[in-house]
Amino acid sequence: MVTLKETGRFISRYKYWVTLGIFLLVIGVLDENSLIQRFAHKREISKLNAEIEFYRKQYEEDSKMLKEITSNKEALEKVAREKYLMKKENEDIFIFEEDLK
């Protein structure tokens, strides 16, 4: 069994290595801003940046669609027919399940 004296001698003999080990343990694992947390935050930031890019592209497409709808009556009718399944009088619409997907 290791006694307190032996532990003290070990620490005094390898004080720099023990200090370095404790420092790496605190920085790498125990600290609030540890390396593990930094990698997790970096992964989350990249995921959020990808989501931002997705919504930016969707916004640009929707802006183009809105501009086209407000300036062109035929485009408005096309969107109403395709997206909202609207129809003219005396007209029948057939919906196929494959087309909705």
Side-chain angles (χ1 to χ4, degrees):
M1 184 167 148
V2 179
T3 64
L4 191 58
K5 278 187 176 182
E6 291 174 0
T7 306
R9 274 192 233 138
F10 179 80
I11 290 175
S12 67
R13 187 171 184 190
Y14 299 108
K15 58 186 164 199
Y16 296 114
W17 290 108
V18 170
T19 305
L20 182 65
I22 292 172
F23 174 75
L24 290 176
L25 180 69
V26 168
I27 294 297
V29 179
L30 300 176
D31 190 30
E32 200 173 278
N33 298 318
S34 69
L35 294 174
I36 296 170
Q37 288 295 325
R38 285 182 183 243
F39 288 131
H41 290 313
K42 194 175 239 185
R43 190 177 329 117
E44 185 177 354
I45 286 171
S46 66
K47 186 172 73 171
L48 290 173
N49 282 335
E51 191 174 332
I52 287 171
E53 188 62 33
F54 169 75
Y55 285 121
R56 184 173 289 136
K57 286 180 183 177
Q58 187 175 359
Y59 172 76
E60 289 173 3
E61 291 173 6
D62 291 344
S63 296
K64 286 179 186 177
M65 181 73 74
L66 179 63
K67 189 182 241 185
E68 188 176 337
I69 287 173
T70 55
S71 65
N72 190 353
K73 187 176 179 181
E74 288 84 20
L76 177 64
E77 185 178 332
K78 179 182 175 188
V79 170
R81 287 171 167 266
E82 288 178 0
K83 280 195 169 185
Y84 302 108
L85 305 174
M86 294 184 170
K87 65 175 188 150
K88 292 181 181 179
E89 279 191 39
N90 298 328
E91 186 177 63
D92 293 327
I93 296 179
F94 297 98
I95 301 172
F96 298 103
E97 291 293 324
E98 296 173 348
D99 293 341
L100 292 177
K101 294 177 185 174

